[in-house]
């Protein structure tokens, strides 16, 4: 029987503190590496070198950039609403840490096994929109506000197909626990049973993380910086940080729901899990550096008129097939 | 706690003004747009220009004809060669100077290379405005080749001062011609790659098709010229209509389309790059030997008293120079009719009823150069 953090530490508060420390450490390292990876991937796709100077293959470049951001003065514009403006980066980050604590990385690497982990993940991931809206509204800037409004509309539009796609998996697995769902996929990952749900999930997840071609809330050629126009220094760094952490979250969720989690031959489970997550992240980066951006109304139409009906149909067919079997 | 955003005019709480520029990532320099918005829909758009006014026309009144030469390529820094050589051709036409044939061929090669580089930059920035960053760098990669080739012979990368009254400053060598041919070959291989990456991309097509359609009346109302006009179905090109230099000796098409939307303007410019490539190749294969400067150029340029108008086709359209001479060394007045200024004027009518995201696509497809608008 695998043991979780609460069993190991005996005290739930201690376990929570340890879990937060582990997650923050992982997320920081992950963001640094992902930003490096994004630079390298984009550079290779654009016939450039990317960072080469600091550390082997420029691996430490992001670290130096982070130091530069930390050294910058934190400017709070006078016209902002201070409470909202200052709390937005934090609001953005809290749900991310919460979600990370729910993921089982392998059979034995799990903070705590919740029976309804999937519901919690979806609930927390909708919360990150609060941070974006606080930033957009609190900045008291028209560009930020437009970015925040777009962000909310986009999140609502893409949350629906995302959840419908997830529901199809829940029907197959007959469980809301991420651990159980991953365990169910021991021989065959669900992507083979639910290819359509997997595609819908991945598209919606890309939109949820505001990544290109769905990076409309922060479309820099239209809205300058979107909701984070007024942020500078490490406060901007936090939004950046959150974006890359969100990528890990949706890709980890996709790995657990569709790619069989940690199951794989030869290598240990955690390694398989991370390989799958980073392969998905690579695909997201590939999207970003290939496609132009959708227009806002096209984006909403794409979700409501194509993804949602498809996801509903997929769900109905899944239910029917399961009933008949 | 400070007051939160005051949205819109007092009498109408549904609408608000958004100031776009002069410092904005996609207003290409220092254009300022004052947008009256309802949600994301544009009710009224007002372009405000003048932020990079450098008084080129006034400077022309204070210096002689030769001293104005370096100014010309700074009017439109993206197709400076065409402006520079166009000005030389205007003055030559007034003085009745004969230009040696080799110089004419060199001018054609350089002008058309410059046209391609200007279109490449437009291509890249349009795609960047639409959110595609990779095509932008592809374009700059190819553009860099042209800049290197032109740098070799003119000594500058952007603001060329290569033309002189009666010819060009320096002869080109075989290496230049070989490099030019190599570029043409390489670029012809690259263009299909652009096609698959951008033109066939469904997102790109959705962003451009039926966006920013120009009404036919606009063409006349605002004297639109260049690729915009040709995308509306009018076969107008100064190179063909009133041939200057030796353009009448070359075989090239004037592409036209009838849709007048952003996608058509995009296709027209891509096709123009093909045509320019073919002109360059023809010129390189036929270039004769000989001098590159006319033997007898007067030391003091004193055009006879009168008013003169001369036009060339720049990368953006009809660039005209209205030169008034009072018979002295210093022009009495040089008025520059720049294509972007006229083309930008139509923006107000085109933007009405579109969305913010379309603004950048339409603006990008008009292909403005701000210093050329402000002059």
């Amino acid at each position: 029987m695998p043991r979780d953090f609460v069993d190991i530490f005996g005290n739930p508060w201690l376990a929570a503190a340890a879990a937060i420390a582990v997650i923050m450490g992982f997320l920081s390292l992950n963001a640094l590496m992902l930003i490096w990876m994004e630079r390298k991937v984009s550079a290779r796709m654009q016939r450039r070198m990317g960072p080469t100077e600091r550390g082997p293959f420029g691996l430490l470049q992001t670290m130096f950039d982070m130091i530069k951001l930390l050294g910058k003065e934190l400017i709070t514009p006078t016209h902002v609403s201070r409470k909202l403006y200052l709390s937005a980066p934090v609001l953005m980050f809290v749900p991310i840490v919460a979600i990370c604590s729910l993921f089982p990385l392998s059979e034995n690497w799990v903070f705590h096994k919740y029976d309804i982990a999937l519901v919690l993940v979806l609930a927390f991931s909708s919360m990150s929109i609060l941070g974006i809206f606080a930033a957009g509204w609190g900045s008291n800037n028209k560009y930020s506000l437009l970015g925040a409004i777009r962000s909310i509309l986009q999140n609502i539009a893409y949350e629906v197909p995302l959840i419908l796609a997830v529901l199809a998996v829940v029907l197959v697995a007959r469980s809301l626990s991420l651990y159980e769902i991953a365990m169910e996929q021991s021989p065959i990952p669900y992507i083979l049973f639910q290819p359509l749900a997997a595609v819908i999930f991945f598209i919606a997840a890309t939109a949820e993380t505001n990544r290109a071609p769905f990076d409309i809330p922060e479309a820099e050629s239209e809205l300058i910086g979107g909701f984070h126009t007024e942020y500078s220094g490490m406060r901007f760094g936090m939004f950046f940080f959150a974006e890359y952490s969100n990528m890990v979250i949706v890709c980890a969720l996709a790995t657990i729901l569709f790619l069989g989690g940690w199951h794989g031959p030869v290598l240990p489970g955690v390694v398989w899990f991370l390989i799958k997550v980073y392969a998905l992240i690579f695909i997201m980066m590939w999207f970003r550096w290939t496609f132009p951006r959708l227009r806002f109304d096209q984006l909403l139409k794409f979700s409501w008129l194509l993804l949602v009906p498809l996801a509903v149909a997929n769900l109905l067919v899944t239910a029917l097939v399961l009933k008949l079997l | 706690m400070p007051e939160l955003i005051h949205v819109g005019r007092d009498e109408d709480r549904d609408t608000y003004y958004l100031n776009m520029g002069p410092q904005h990532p996609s207003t290409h320099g220092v254009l300022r747009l004052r947008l009256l918005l309802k949600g994301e829909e544009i009710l009224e758009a007002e372009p405000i220009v003048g932020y990079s006014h450098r008084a080129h026309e006034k400077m022309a009144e204070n210096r002689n004809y030769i001293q104005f030469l370096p100014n010309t390529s700074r009017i439109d820094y993206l197709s400076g060669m065409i402006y520079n050589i166009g000005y030389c051709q205007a003055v030559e036409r007034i003085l009745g100077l004969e230009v040696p044939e080799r110089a004419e061929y060199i001018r054609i090669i350089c002008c058309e290379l410059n046209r391609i580089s200007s279109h490449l930059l437009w291509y890249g920035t349009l795609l960047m405005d639409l959110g595609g960053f990779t095509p932008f760098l592809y374009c700059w990669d190819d553009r860099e080749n042209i800049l290197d080739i032109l740098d070799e012979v003119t000594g500058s990368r952007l603001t060329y001062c290569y033309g002189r009254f009666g010819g060009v400053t320096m002869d080109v060598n075989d290496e230049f011609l070989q490099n030019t041919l190599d570029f043409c070959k390489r670029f012809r291989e690259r263009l299909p790659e652009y096609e698959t990456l951008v033109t066939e991309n469904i997102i790109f097509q959705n962003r451009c098709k039926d966006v920013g359609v120009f009404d036919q009346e606009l063409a006349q109302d605002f004297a639109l010229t260049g690729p915009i006009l040709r995308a509306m179905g009018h076969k107008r090109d100064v190179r063909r209509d009133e041939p200057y230099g030796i353009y009448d000796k070359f075989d090239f098409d004037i592409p036209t389309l009838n849709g007048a939307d952003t996608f058509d303007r995009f296709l027209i410019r891509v096709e123009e790059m093909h045509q320019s490539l073919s002109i360059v190749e023809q010129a390189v294969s036929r270039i004769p030997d000989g001098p590159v400067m006319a033997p007898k150029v007067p030391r003091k340029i004193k055009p006879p008293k009168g008013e003169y108008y001369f036009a060339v086709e720049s990368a953006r359209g009809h660039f005209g120079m209205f030169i008034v001479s009072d018979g002295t060394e210093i022009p009495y007045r040089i008025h520059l009719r720049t294509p972007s200024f006229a083309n930008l004027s139509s923006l107000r009518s085109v933007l009405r009823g579109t969305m913010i995201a379309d603004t950048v696509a339409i603006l990008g497809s008009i292909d403005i150069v701000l210093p050329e608008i402000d002059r």
Side-chain angles (χ1 to χ4, degrees), chain B residues 266-323:
Chain B
F266 170 85
L267 292 178
I268 286 279
R269 287 198 179 88
V270 174
E271 183 53 32
E272 271 180 28
M273 286 199 273
H274 281 281
Q275 296 301 329
S276 289
L277 269 184
S278 127
I279 296 176
V280 170
E281 281 166 348
Q282 291 173 43
V284 172
S285 65
R286 300 210 304 248
I287 187 166
D289 281 333
V292 292
M293 230 7 227
K296 280 183 188 164
V297 180
R299 182 150 299 180
K300 288 189 173 172
I301 308 285
K302 282 187 183 176
K305 198 170 175 187
E307 296 176 355
Y308 309 93
Y309 186 80
F310 184 79
V312 295
E313 184 75 20
S314 90
R316 280 158 200 82
H318 179 109
F319 169 57
M321 289 148 281
F322 182 65
I323 302 176

Side-chain angles (χ1 to χ4, degrees), chain A residues 140 142 150 221 289 293, chain B residues 5 17 26 40 129-130 134:
Chain A
N140 199 4
K142 288 175 193 171
R150 282 179 175 200
S221 56
W289 298 109
R293 186 181 301 122
Chain B
I5 303 171
Y17 279 106
S26 55
E40 292 229 3
D129 290 346
L130 295 179
T134 300

Side-chain angles (χ1 to χ4, degrees), chain A residues 11-313:
Chain A
N11 179 335
W13 293 104
L14 211 58
I20 289 172
V22 170
I23 290 166
M24 287 306 284
F26 170 75
L27 285 181
S28 316
L29 204 67
N30 169 70
L32 289 181
M33 287 303 105
L34 275 189
I35 294 170
W36 172 83
M37 180 173 155
E38 177 117 82
R39 286 174 166 190
K40 275 291 184 192
V41 168
S42 67
R44 292 299 169 199
M45 288 181 182
Q46 296 163 349
R47 308 159 71 95
R48 294 186 289 119
M49 296 284 286
T52 52
E53 289 288 317
R54 296 280 161 255
F57 311 108
L59 266 169
L60 297 181
Q61 182 64 49
T62 357
M63 198 120 111
F64 282 80
D65 288 342
M66 213 49 103
I67 292 169
K68 184 204 77 176
L69 277 180
L70 282 170
K72 280 194 164 185
E73 186 189 350
L74 287 172
I75 300 165
T76 311
T78 47
H79 61 270
V80 301
S81 160
R82 280 185 74 89
K83 274 182 210 156
L84 283 175
Y85 179 84
L86 295 180
S87 61
V90 183
L91 273 176
M92 191 85 179
F93 220 79
V94 170
I96 291 171
V97 179
I99 293 172
C100 280
S101 70
L102 300 168
F103 287 132
L105 295 189
S106 83
E107 214 164 321
N108 299 314
W109 289 46
V110 52
F111 292 111
H112 186 74
K113 276 184 279 173
Y114 296 94
D115 288 341
I116 51 158
L118 190 55
V119 177
L120 286 176
V121 168
L122 295 174
F124 280 125
S125 75
S126 330
M127 265 177 69
S128 66
I129 194 69
L130 281 179
I132 290 180
F133 192 64
W137 184 257
S139 290
N140 199 4
N141 172 318
K142 288 175 193 171
Y143 285 107
S144 304
L145 184 63
L146 276 173
I149 292 169
R150 282 179 175 200
S151 198
I152 288 169
L153 278 173
Q154 180 176 333
N155 264 52
I156 293 169
Y158 280 85
E159 204 109 295
V160 176
L162 186 113
I163 292 175
L164 287 173
V166 169
L167 272 182
V169 172
V170 172
L171 281 185
V172 178
R174 292 165 191 281
S175 168
L176 282 169
S177 152
L178 290 174
Y179 185 83
E180 297 288 323
I181 292 174
M183 283 305 271
E184 285 280 313
Q185 304 177 57
S186 178
I188 308 162
Y190 280 161
I191 188 167
L192 296 179
F193 295 131
Q194 291 285 347
L196 186 62
V199 171
I200 292 171
F201 179 88
F202 198 63
I203 293 174
T206 312
E208 281 273 300
T209 47
N210 293 339
R211 293 277 303 180
F214 307 106
D215 57 342
I216 288 159
E218 45 193 305
E220 80 277 353
S221 56
E222 297 152 29
L223 298 183
I224 310 182
F227 60 88
H228 60 62
T229 305
E230 296 281 6
Y231 286 84
S232 61
M234 203 51 213
R235 286 191 195 133
F236 162 72
M238 288 289 277
F239 284 112
F240 212 53
F241 204 41
E243 180 187 333
Y244 284 93
S245 306
N246 268 327
M247 276 169 78
V248 177
I249 286 174
V250 294
C251 289
L253 195 58
T255 305
I256 292 171
L257 293 180
F258 296 103
L259 298 181
W262 56 85
H263 295 294
V266 189
L267 295 169
V270 183
V271 178
W272 265 116
F273 188 85
L274 291 178
I275 286 175
K276 287 171 184 173
V277 168
Y278 285 100
L280 286 179
I281 288 176
F282 173 77
I283 294 175
M284 284 177 105
M285 288 178 177
W286 195 355
F287 280 176
R288 172 165 177 189
W289 298 109
T290 309
F291 295 130
R293 186 181 301 122
L294 270 82
R295 203 173 66 203
F296 188 55
D297 56 329
Q298 293 168 353
L299 172 107
L300 294 181
K301 269 183 204 149
F302 181 60
S303 171
W304 291 118
L305 298 184
L306 186 70
L307 289 187
V308 172
L310 270 181
V312 171

